């Protein structure tokens, strides 16, 4: 019976972890329930039968999850490893916080490493709530990153090191608090009549320090992204009024920065030059108001389908540029197929008088060939026009 209860709690925890993972990697939400079931079953099985109090077993579980995502969902190794790492950080910090809160409120000790196996309902409910709150906190950090994206390599490195140090402090603080409070509980200090009145003080102090550290992380990131990188903030804030995408100047400045970073760190960089199909036809037949609507719909579909750290800029008129950071041509082509699938879904709804579609040219950055920004963009532009000619020829 104990094993059955552990399995039930493991399934619930696995569902929560998968929900977290699907929010970190939006692509997962579009996959089949069969794949989701396999992922949840994998996590639940290991949680039920493996001893997760040993760090080696934990690392093997998460490494297996990365491999599973790579094989089952065709997610890139970089995205899979980064998303699993963030999921691990959120779940570990959530487990520590919930164990500490449970200890301070109820006086019961729950091992944060295998919190799900305790069958402590209150601890697991607190864990679920903290996971959701930390997910919203993560979204806030990402929102800051997208708005004030850094383009200076030294600033990026300083940001990375500061975040590692701060999150390490959070984990260390949570662990020390848990160990000390557990020690006090074993000795009967917290539950003794003379010190029981101080429990609320410990609880409020603990919550205050934890929340202040998380606020500190946001402030430190903001300092690096805004105060130390004002030039990049300025071009990032320059957006196209109609579509909300970056302006031409801001987009090309960002691309130039990414080219330098890709060359320095030797990672993949790919761009997609996009041209809206039949804009002139829509303008002539239904007016420029509908033509502007077509451009906005195309932009909305593109931006909603991209990853959080990809960037889209409106080059002018009906032309857009998408910058895929740490992404090769094959991966960018898969993203574009998702975008065209979304075009088809929008067209199937019949909400517009016109059909939406676009031609694209996708080019992967090659430092030896693309020695300038213009040569890189020009090659992608030529590939787009070649595709556009094929589309026009097929209509004849």
């Amino acid at each position: 019976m104990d094993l059955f209860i552990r399995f039930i709690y493991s399934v619930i925890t696995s569902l929560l972890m998968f929900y977290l993972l699907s929010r970190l990697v939006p692509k997962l939400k579009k996959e089949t329930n069969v794949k989701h079931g396999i992922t949840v079953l994998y996590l639940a099985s290991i949680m039920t039968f493996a001893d997760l109090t040993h760090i080696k077993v934990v690392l093997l579980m998460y490494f297996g999850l990365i491999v599973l995502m790579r094989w089952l969902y065709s997610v890139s190794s970089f995205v899979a490893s980064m998303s699993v790492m963030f999921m691990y950080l959120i779940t570990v910090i959530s487990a520590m916080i919930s164990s500490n809160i449970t200890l301070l409120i109820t006086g019961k000790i729950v091992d944060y490493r295998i919190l799900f196996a305790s069958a402590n309902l209150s601890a697991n409910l607190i864990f679920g709530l903290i996971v959701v709150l930390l997910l919203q906190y993560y979204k806030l950090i990402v929102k800051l990153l997208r708005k004030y994206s850094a383009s200076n390599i030294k600033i990026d490195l300083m940001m990375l090191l500061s975040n590692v140090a701060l999150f390490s402090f959070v984990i260390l603080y949570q662990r020390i608090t848990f160990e000390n409070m557990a020690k006090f509980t074993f000795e009967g200090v917290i539950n003794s009549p003379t010190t029981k009145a101080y429990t609320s003080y410990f609880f409020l102090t603990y919550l205050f320090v934890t929340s202040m550290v998380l606020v500190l992380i946001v402030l430190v990131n903001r300092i690096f992204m805004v105060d130390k990188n004002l030039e990049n903030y300025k071009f990032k804030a320059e957006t196209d009024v109609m579509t909300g995408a970056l302006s031409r100047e801001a987009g090309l400045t960002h691309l130039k920065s990414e080219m330098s970073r890709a060359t320095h760190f030797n990672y993949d960089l790919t761009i997609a030059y996009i041209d809206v199909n039949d804009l002139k036809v829509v303008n002539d037949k239904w007016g420029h108001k509908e033509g502007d609507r077509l451009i906005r719909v195309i932009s909305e579909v593109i931006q909603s389908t991209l990853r959080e750290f990809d960037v889209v800029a409106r080059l002018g008129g009906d032309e857009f540029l998408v910058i895929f950071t740490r992404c090769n041509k094959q991966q960018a082509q898969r993203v574009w197929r998702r975008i065209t699938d979304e075009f088809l879904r929008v067209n199937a709804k019949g909400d517009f008088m016109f059909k939406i579609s676009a031609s694209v040219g996708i080019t992967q950055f090659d430092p030896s060939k693309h020695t300038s920004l213009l040569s890189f963009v020009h090659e992608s532009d030529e590939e787009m026009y070649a595709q556009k000619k094929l589309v026009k020829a097929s209509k004849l």
Side-chain angles (χ1 to χ4, degrees), residues 51-335:
D51 184 1
L52 296 180
T53 59
H54 294 93
I55 188 64
K56 291 181 180 179
V57 180
V58 175
L59 292 176
L60 284 174
M61 180 183 79
Y62 283 104
F63 176 75
L65 182 58
I66 294 173
V67 174
L68 187 65
M69 289 179 63
R70 184 74 182 87
W71 167 72
L72 200 60
Y73 296 101
S74 299
V75 176
S76 69
S77 299
F78 173 79
V79 172
S81 57
M82 290 300 292
S83 57
V84 169
M85 182 191 73
F86 279 120
M87 184 189 73
Y88 172 73
L89 284 174
I90 290 175
T91 52
V92 167
I93 293 174
S94 298
M96 287 182 170
I97 292 175
S98 57
S99 295
N100 279 317
I101 292 177
T102 302
L103 178 61
L104 288 168
I105 293 177
T106 67
K108 294 181 179 179
I109 298 173
V110 180
D111 191 339
Y112 65 86
R113 296 171 297 179
I114 49 172
L115 181 142
F116 59 91
S118 68
N120 186 312
L121 182 59
S122 59
N124 281 276
L125 288 175
I126 295 171
F127 171 71
L129 176 62
I130 299 298
V131 166
V132 173
L133 291 176
L134 284 182
L135 178 60
Q136 297 305 313
Y137 175 79
Y138 164 80
K139 287 183 177 180
L140 173 64
I141 296 293
V142 170
K143 188 176 181 180
L144 279 175
L145 284 168
R146 293 186 71 178
K147 190 174 182 181
Y148 307 113
S149 173
S151 61
N152 187 303
I153 294 172
K154 291 183 179 179
I155 295 295
D156 282 348
L157 182 59
M158 292 173 66
M159 281 177 58
L160 176 62
L161 293 176
S162 67
N163 278 303
V164 169
L166 288 168
F167 276 108
S168 298
F169 172 77
V170 173
I171 294 176
L172 182 62
Y173 166 71
Q174 296 293 333
R175 180 168 181 172
I176 290 174
T177 303
F178 177 77
E179 290 175 347
N180 287 334
M181 297 304 292
K183 182 180 178 182
F184 295 156
T185 301
F186 272 124
E187 294 175 352
V189 176
I190 288 182
N191 293 322
S192 66
T194 55
T195 58
K196 198 171 183 180
Y198 292 105
T199 302
S200 59
Y201 169 76
F202 295 147
F203 178 63
L204 292 174
T205 303
Y206 168 76
L207 290 182
F208 176 78
V209 174
T210 300
S211 59
M212 284 302 99
V213 171
L214 296 178
V215 170
L216 177 64
I217 292 173
V218 174
L219 293 177
V220 168
N221 279 279
R222 183 179 174 85
I223 288 171
F224 278 120
M225 288 183 283
V226 182
D227 297 340
K228 301 297 184 182
N229 203 16
L230 292 176
E231 183 179 350
N232 184 68
Y233 162 67
K234 182 179 178 181
F235 87 75
K236 191 71 175 179
E238 295 173 351
T239 57
D240 176 63
V241 177
M242 180 188 294
T243 63
L246 288 184
S247 65
R248 177 185 179 88
E249 293 75 18
L252 293 179
T253 302
H254 183 74
L255 176 59
K256 186 176 181 180
S257 172
E258 287 300 323
M259 289 170 66
S260 298
R261 288 150 63 96
T263 302
H264 188 273
F265 291 107
N266 192 30
Y267 62 67
D268 293 331
L269 174 66
T270 304
I271 60 172
Y273 199 108
I274 300 168
D275 186 89
V276 179
N277 291 332
D278 300 324
L279 177 61
K280 186 177 184 304
V281 174
V282 173
N283 283 333
D284 293 343
K285 193 170 182 180
W286 291 291
H288 287 276
K289 185 177 180 180
E290 288 300 308
D292 290 346
R293 193 181 182 196
L294 170 61
I295 292 173
R296 284 196 296 271
V297 172
I298 290 282
S299 175
E300 289 170 3
V301 170
I302 292 172
Q303 293 187 67
S304 66
T305 313
L306 295 179
R307 302 172 302 175
E308 291 180 334
F309 41 82
D310 294 329
V311 170
V312 58
R314 186 184 180 195
L315 298 180
D318 57 352
E319 295 178 336
F320 292 88
L321 181 72
V322 178
I323 304 167
F324 297 98
T325 306
R326 292 182 175 86
C327 179
N328 60 36
K329 186 172 183 177
Q330 290 71 31
Q331 292 166 338
Q333 286 172 334
R334 286 199 293 269
V335 175

Side-chain angles (χ1 to χ4, degrees), residues 20-29 69 75 79-80 83-84:
L20 177 60
L21 200 59
S22 67
R23 303 299 294 179
L24 296 173
V25 189
K27 175 186 175 182
L28 268 60
K29 293 185 288 186
M69 289 179 63
V75 176
V79 172
S83 57
V84 169

